[in-house]
Amino acid sequence: MIIQGTETLTSLIHILSESLLTPVVILLVVSVVIVILSFGGLINEYISRKPIKSNELEELIRNVSFSNNVSEMKNKIEDSNLFSYQKEILIRIANNHDIGSDARKALASELISSEETRLIKRTNKTDILVKVGPILGLLGTLIPLGPGLAALGSGDILTLAESLTIAFDTTVTGLSIGALSYLISKYKKQWYESDLITVETVAEAELEAINKW
């Protein structure tokens, strides 16, 4: 039973609800494309990634710790199997060997923090789709059910079947987007966290060695 005086409002809501179906489907298609590209990027990054091994990291830390000057330290870093962005951070720290120890430590912290922010941004899209994907799927499920149930009341089975097909398809698509986005973000964040820990470890050895000079 519709409360008297609300017919216009409910009709407006009904029109708005049905008009959202097309944008929802478009957003789902765009999200699918983004997830596919992100998944391809994940596979490519996995294949091309060659993180430094534990024994190599140990050797690098010893080499950095026993360096006698900046040039020797930078050469050891350049010759290591670190990623280029890791080397860049460590070399920038070494280049500032002539400033105070506190300022140098603060600079190192800021460089690592900035790199962490940059890496986090690389997972922003999939982080958003983890939540947005299922929401779009739910919207795509509920919106067609209204016309479908109305068609059922009038005995129009064909319209009901079409509405249910759209509802189930959007649900599966939305959940798939959310699941794949979660996996992509999870693995990338694990990689980046490990990379940053490596940088922090070498940076500590680097700062300690510089303080001895």
Side-chain angles (χ1 to χ4, degrees), residues 9-197:
L9 294 176
T10 53
S11 298
L12 178 61
I13 292 174
H14 177 69
I15 293 171
L16 289 174
S17 175
E18 289 195 345
S19 66
L20 287 174
L21 182 59
T22 299
V24 166
V25 172
I26 292 174
L27 288 174
L28 279 171
V29 172
V30 172
S31 298
V32 168
V33 173
I34 293 174
V35 168
I36 291 174
L37 293 176
S38 298
F39 189 71
L42 178 74
I43 294 175
N44 181 63
E45 190 170 351
Y46 174 78
I47 294 174
S48 61
R49 274 183 65 86
K50 293 181 180 179
I52 189 169
K53 298 178 182 178
S54 59
N55 60 322
E56 293 174 336
L57 177 59
E58 181 181 356
E59 182 180 358
L60 174 61
I61 292 172
R62 291 185 62 84
N63 289 337
V64 168
S65 297
F66 293 115
S67 297
N68 296 314
N69 52 62
V70 177
S71 297
E72 183 181 350
M73 178 180 288
K74 289 167 65 175
N75 288 335
K76 296 297 183 181
I77 294 172
E78 284 287 0
D79 294 338
S80 69
N81 290 326
L82 293 172
F83 296 118
S84 58
Y85 73 87
Q86 293 174 314
K87 293 179 181 180
E88 181 181 352
I89 293 173
L90 296 172
I91 288 175
R92 287 181 66 181
I93 295 172
N95 286 336
N96 288 277
H97 66 280
D98 53 346
I99 63 177
S101 60
D102 290 340
R104 188 166 51 248
K105 185 175 182 181
L107 174 64
S109 178
E110 175 58 29
L111 291 175
I112 294 172
S113 178
S114 297
E115 186 61 28
E116 182 179 9
T117 301
R118 186 187 72 83
L119 292 175
I120 288 175
K121 288 181 179 179
R122 297 178 66 176
T123 63
N124 278 349
K125 290 181 181 179
T126 48
D127 285 343
I128 292 172
L129 290 180
V130 169
K131 295 182 178 180
V132 173
I135 290 174
L136 292 174
L138 180 60
L139 288 172
T141 301
L142 296 177
I143 293 172
L145 288 182
L149 293 175
L152 177 63
S154 61
D156 188 354
I157 303 300
L158 180 60
T159 301
L160 174 62
E162 291 177 351
S163 298
L164 290 176
T165 300
I166 295 173
F168 286 123
D169 288 346
T170 52
T171 300
V172 172
T173 303
L175 291 176
S176 299
I177 290 170
L180 284 175
S181 297
Y182 173 76
L183 291 175
I184 293 169
S185 291
K186 180 178 177 62
Y187 280 108
K188 283 192 173 184
K189 285 179 179 178
Q190 286 180 345
W191 294 341
Y192 300 154
E193 183 179 354
S194 176
D195 293 346
L196 289 172
I197 290 174

